[in-house]
Each structure stands twice: as structure tokens, then as C-alpha cells.
Amino acid sequence: MREVAVIGAGMTKFGERWDTSFRDLCTEAGIAALEDANVAGEQIDALFVGSMSAGRFVGQEHVGALVADYVGLGGDLHVPATRVEAACASGGLAFRQAVAAVSSGMSDVVIAAGVEKMTDVGDSTDVLAGAADREWESFAGATFPGLYAMIACDYMHKYGLTREQLAQVAVKNHFHGARNPFAHFQNEITQSTVMNSTLVASPLRLFDCSPVSDGAAVVVVCPLEKAREFTDTPIKVLASAQAGDTIALHDRPDFSTMGATVAAGNSAFRQAKLERKDIDFVEVHDCFTIAELCAIEDLGFVPKGTAGKFTEQGETQLGGKLPVNTSGGLKACGHPVGATGIKQIWEVVQQLRGEGGKRQVEGAEIGMTQNVGGTGATVVSHIFGRA
Amino acid sequence: MTVARFWREIPQRYNLVGTKCEVCGDVFFPPRAICPHCRRDGKIVPCQCSGKGKVLTYSVLSAASDQFSALKPYVLAIIELEEGTRVTSHLICEPEEVHIGMPVKSVFRVLDREGSDGIIHYGTKFVPDL
């Protein structure tokens, strides 16, 4: 198995990109990543595209080929392109396929892209509900806010989490988003913004929920030993982990613990031969505020039931013990579902290169990502370090 | 949902017919064809659930997909049935009424109508078991 490095990263601004189509989002992020990596089309061996539901969002399947074609890799170069899907973990999983392709020796320079165009459809709630068990959750009236609200209800009942602590997750992520020029929302908010926002699914309110966004993100990987041919600042992939769980939330023994996050996190730390204290910052899957609290507990950074207090004390904000979601997270940076997993890696690359600007984590050397599909039936986690 | 997609699950949706693994004793609703614990060593048979259970967790939904929009606000709950298995369901009660541990029982209700001239889907929902 060869060691793998990220040699380039690019993303579009996330948001309601009414003027930009699915394919143009991919092109915008792709060009940015290829320029960053200083890679020419002829050098690219393969492309993996993460997209949750292009078929329902824009009526387009076969998006691997579409993206390859419109970034200029299809017609003349015939680069093999593969679409990867694991609901909101599609991006993270596309990256993992790219890492596997390079690590195995099958390919040298590989692109991992993530994209979603969500605002071209009216009932996005129903499209997203396809990430749960359509027959036995969605058809019973479950929505994604509803499912995560049931996690929050269980968590609050068990651990006495306060509404203010939950709101602070969104406040903190907007603070970070306000420092990220690519974020969907670049405004700071207060706890009262969250607590006075409209109820979506009790106890979750509008500002507990990530938005419906358009966007794409792209990274380029190659063998570590060749990385310096392309860049002076390669980022080494220290671990690539994935774990699964039951498709339906109701089949989990503990609704407040994402078993796949625990499993993927443990695997990642084993691979990287690192301990929790070695991680300088983490990008986690805060599709809803409650999910961020569960994530930092299930990855083992804080004991179960204490993430609310940890957040309230400012430890997950820039300058705290463990900055979480410096990109703004899904809440403020936005959540074009297939793109999110790659955007997390893009943010880790910015931080490890010291290019985080106003949101730079001082002395960042090791960063981690956690990308969730559905309510945790797929979790993908990676650890990165400066090479 | 097409007629066939709904029709093939009528016993399950109308009458809470799940399955049971005769080897480990676990009951599955929604039904499973393979026991996730015993896998190929298990033996799956049909199992009629009683319909009695309790609320494990819940949410009151004020926003929904177009299909469920008319019900807003409605209570969504994960219910643990007497047999030990769990089901996600619409719980028919006042939003203020629901709480963790609340006893509930199944009822036969309309789940969904496909427009004014489409088919009507019937199935199981839950109500408080007073």
C-alpha cells in the first residue's frame, strides 16, 4: 500500500447559486483544484464524483461521465469517471475511493469531487428523506430534521443538555462561517437568533438545521513520493476509515450514539497511530446542531453527555482546546450534500497549509474529518497531517 | 408509491406482521428476511405483533415534505413494541400530550392519498393507550 497525499483543493462558494448549473459548479471547483495542484489533464488517471441525488435534484444520472466531460477529461482524454453515493457521505466516500485507487497502485493522479445542485427542485425535504429508510421511516412521515430531532429528544432526556448549549453550536459555526469567504452564510448570530427562529421539528429550530445549498468541492491526490513534483505543501493522508450501521435510526441500540462514528473513528486513530489529544482541529458533520455534539463525543474527544458544556465553554471555537468546524460547518458553510465531505477535506488542507486566513488554527499540524450519510448508516473519517 | 409497491406489504402495513428468528428469539418489525445476529444460522418465521408499545423518543414536526404537509404539526415517534422491536410512526395525539415512556397502541388509519383520484394507502399508526 502506497502512502497518499492531497496536492490540490478547490471549491465553489456555497449558497443558493441560481445562476450556476450542476455542471458549471463542478467546472468551477475543478479548475480551482487543478490550478492549485498544478496538474494537467493528461496527467489525470481517474475521477470519482460524490453526489447524493443528482437524479432527483436535477434529473441527471450518469454524473461521473457528465462531470468528466465538462471539466475536459471526457472526449479527448477518456479519463475513467465513477460516481459514488452514500447519501450525505458521498463526498467523503468519493475521496476514500480516490485514496484507495492511488494507494493500491492502480492509479497515480486521481481527482475526488463532490457536488450537489439542490435549489433546482421544490421538495428537497422529500429527496433528502431518501437517505433514511424510505419504506419504514420516510413513508411514516419522517423527515431528516424529524429524525435528528428524535436523537436530540433522546439526548436531552438522558444527559440534560440545555437548549442554550445546543444553540451555541450554531452560534459558534456562524462565527467561523463569517471568516470563510466560501461559506453560504457569512454572518454572526446570537443564541437568541437560534432560539427565536421558527420550529422545524421540536426541539430543533430553523437555525439548528443546515441549509439547502448548491456547491462543489474538488481535491487532487497522488502518491506521497510524487507529491513534491506538484506542490511544496503536500498534505499526507494519515488514515482513511469507513463504517456502517443500520439504515433506520429505530434499529440502533442508543439513538444518541452513532455506532458508525465510533467504529470509523477508532479505525482512523489506529491507522494513524495517533491519540485524541494529537488532533488540532476537526471538521464534523453538523447537519443539525445535535449531530456535532454526538460527533465529538463518538470520536472520543469528550465523554458522552459532556459536549454541550464543552461547547458552551468555548472549547470548540477558534482558540479553544479543539476547534470544530472552522469552515463554518454544514450549518454556516452550507450543505450541498454530495459536496460536504470534500469541502471538509478542503478546509483541512487550508488549515494545514496555514492558509486559513481569519479562521486559521494556530500551529495546526493534524486535522480530522467525519462525514455522515443518513442518520449514521455510513460514516467516513479521515486524518491528515503536514507532509 | 405504485400499487404493487404498497400491495406487496399489505400484511405488514395493515396488521403489523413482522418476522421472528426462532434461533435467537428476536422479533423484527419492519420485517427482515435475515436475522442480523444469527445470519445464515437463523430461522425466520412470520410473527404477529400485538401493537402495544411505548414511546422511546419523539418530535413534533412543524415542517414536512409536501406529502405530509396537511398533517402539520404532527408527532413522529420511535415506538418500542412489546415484542422488543422498534418502529417509526406517526403518533396521533396532541403535541403537548406526548412524552418518553408513554404507552401506545396501534390503530388502522389512512396513511396517504395520492391526490383526488389516486389510490388511498391504509396502514398502521399509533395512539395513546390510556
Side-chain angles (χ1 to χ4, degrees):
Chain A
M1 299 282 275
R2 300 192 292 182
E3 292 191 298
V4 179
V6 181
I7 53 171
M11 69 178 280
T12 67
K13 186 189 175 299
F14 282 6
E16 295 187 358
R17 299 284 307 265
W18 296 329
D19 59 340
T20 312
S21 67
F22 180 94
R23 69 188 71 186
D24 289 343
L25 288 169
C26 296
T27 312
E28 187 179 326
I31 295 298
L34 294 186
E35 281 181 357
D36 187 46
N38 198 23
V39 164
E42 291 78 9
Q43 295 171 290
I44 295 164
D45 295 318
L47 166 66
F48 291 91
V49 180
S51 165
M52 172 185 160
S53 194
R56 298 245 1 242
F57 284 124
V58 289
Q60 176 73 59
E61 307 293 7
H62 210 174
V63 296
L66 175 81
V67 173
D69 184 6
Y70 272 79
V71 297
L73 301 176
D76 292 345
L77 298 170
H78 305 294
V79 171
T82 308
R83 183 230 183 123
V84 178
E85 189 269 321
C88 312
S90 299
L93 198 53
F95 180 79
R96 189 167 144 77
Q97 302 314 303
V99 169
V102 172
S103 172
S104 68
M106 183 181 271
S107 307
D108 273 348
V109 177
V110 179
I111 297 179
V115 57
E116 216 74 61
K117 176 71 194 170
M118 298 175 75
T119 61
D120 276 353
V121 73
D123 195 3
S124 55
T125 303
D126 185 62
V127 177
L128 293 169
D133 183 336
R134 175 66 73 178
E135 303 274 341
W136 298 106
E137 290 182 303
S138 314
F139 195 63
T143 59
F144 261 85
L147 291 168
Y148 275 89
M150 291 199 291
I151 294 174
C153 173
D154 179 69
Y155 187 107
M156 287 173 138
H157 183 72
K158 282 177 180 156
Y159 303 112
L161 172 76
T162 67
R163 200 32 275 209
E164 287 79 4
Q165 289 170 337
L166 197 55
Q168 190 57 33
V169 175
V171 173
K172 182 266 300 174
N173 284 340
H174 271 257
F175 177 86
H176 291 160
R179 284 148 183 80
N180 179 1
F182 293 87
H184 187 157
F185 298 122
Q186 298 176 30
N187 60 316
E188 292 186 32
I189 59 168
T190 63
Q191 284 190 0
S192 72
T193 318
V194 184
M195 288 159 70
N196 292 323
S197 63
T198 187
L199 262 171
V200 173
S202 69
L204 302 181
R205 294 176 176 274
L206 186 65
F207 274 75
D208 288 297
C209 309
S210 56
V212 168
S213 316
D214 303 323
V218 176
V219 296
V220 187
V221 294
C222 80
L224 180 63
E225 64 199 20
K226 295 186 181 174
R228 288 197 187 271
E229 294 172 21
F230 300 99
T231 175
D232 295 332
T233 53
I235 303 301
K236 185 175 171 185
V237 181
L238 301 175
S240 174
Q242 179 188 353
D245 206 338
T246 62
I247 186 78
L249 177 66
H250 55 230
D251 282 326
R252 314 269 170 78
D254 174 7
F255 305 137
S256 295
T257 300
M258 238 175 237
T261 299
V262 176
N266 286 339
S267 169
F269 279 106
R270 261 197 314 274
Q271 289 176 42
K273 299 186 179 68
L274 291 172
E275 295 177 39
R276 270 66 180 177
K277 64 175 172 53
D278 298 322
I279 303 292
D280 295 315
F281 64 99
V282 61
E283 285 282 304
V284 303
H285 197 93
D286 62 311
C287 48
F288 300 92
T289 45
I290 185 66
E292 176 168 317
L293 299 181
C294 291
I296 58 177
E297 292 170 352
D298 297 341
L299 289 172
F301 292 114
V302 294
K304 200 76 212 170
T306 64
K309 193 162 186 219
F310 192 67
T311 301
E312 191 173 45
Q313 290 168 337
E315 302 293 9
T316 58
Q317 187 158 322
L318 273 172
K321 282 182 190 153
L322 179 73
V324 178
N325 286 331
T326 51
S327 69
L330 284 58
K331 173 67 198 80
C333 191
H335 185 27
V337 283
T340 281
I342 301 286
K343 177 227 72 182
Q344 293 179 326
I345 294 162
W346 174 90
E347 174 65 9
V348 169
V349 169
Q350 308 308 306
Q351 291 287 349
L352 293 180
R353 285 178 179 170
E355 294 172 0
K358 290 177 186 167
R359 62 185 196 287
Q360 180 64 44
V361 176
E362 285 301 313
E365 291 190 358
I366 311 268
M368 185 172 193
T369 61
Q370 178 249 13
N371 186 200
V372 177
T375 52
T378 300
V379 172
V380 182
S381 183
H382 287 93
I383 301 178
F384 301 86
R386 283 198 245 165
Chain B
M1 199 177 279
T2 61
V3 173
R5 185 174 179 183
F6 195 84
W7 160 82
R8 74 175 76 102
E9 278 166 355
I10 279 180
Q12 295 89 328
R13 294 197 186 277
Y14 282 18
N15 295 320
L16 277 180
V17 177
T19 57
K20 179 178 178 173
C21 174
E22 285 193 324
V23 175
C24 71
D26 265 18
V27 172
F28 308 110
F29 190 92
R32 287 175 183 270
I34 291 177
C35 171
H37 317 297
C38 306
R39 297 183 287 276
R40 281 189 294 154
D41 296 330
K43 183 164 188 282
I44 293 286
V45 294
C47 175
Q48 174 67 54
C49 296
S50 70
K52 285 185 176 290
K54 63 175 181 186
V55 172
L56 293 185
T57 186
Y58 66 90
S59 173
V60 180
L61 273 62
S62 317
S65 60
D66 295 346
Q67 188 185 355
F68 296 99
S69 215
L71 289 174
K72 296 184 298 189
Y74 64 97
V75 180
L76 182 74
I78 294 180
I79 290 154
E80 183 166 81
L81 299 176
E82 271 184 343
E83 292 80 7
T85 187
R86 288 92 163 271
V87 57
T88 299
S89 178
H90 175 200
L91 175 58
I92 306 164
C93 69
E94 293 303 317
E96 325 51 87
E97 215 180 334
V98 59
H99 59 269
I100 291 174
M102 179 185 195
V104 296
K105 62 182 179 188
S106 62
V107 288
F108 186 68
R109 288 286 187 277
V110 169
L111 295 181
D112 181 34
R113 296 168 207 270
E114 290 194 345
S116 56
D117 54 356
I119 58 172
I120 299 173
H121 298 133
Y122 291 92
T124 304
K125 292 189 177 185
F126 287 80
V127 294
D129 187 11
L130 303 170

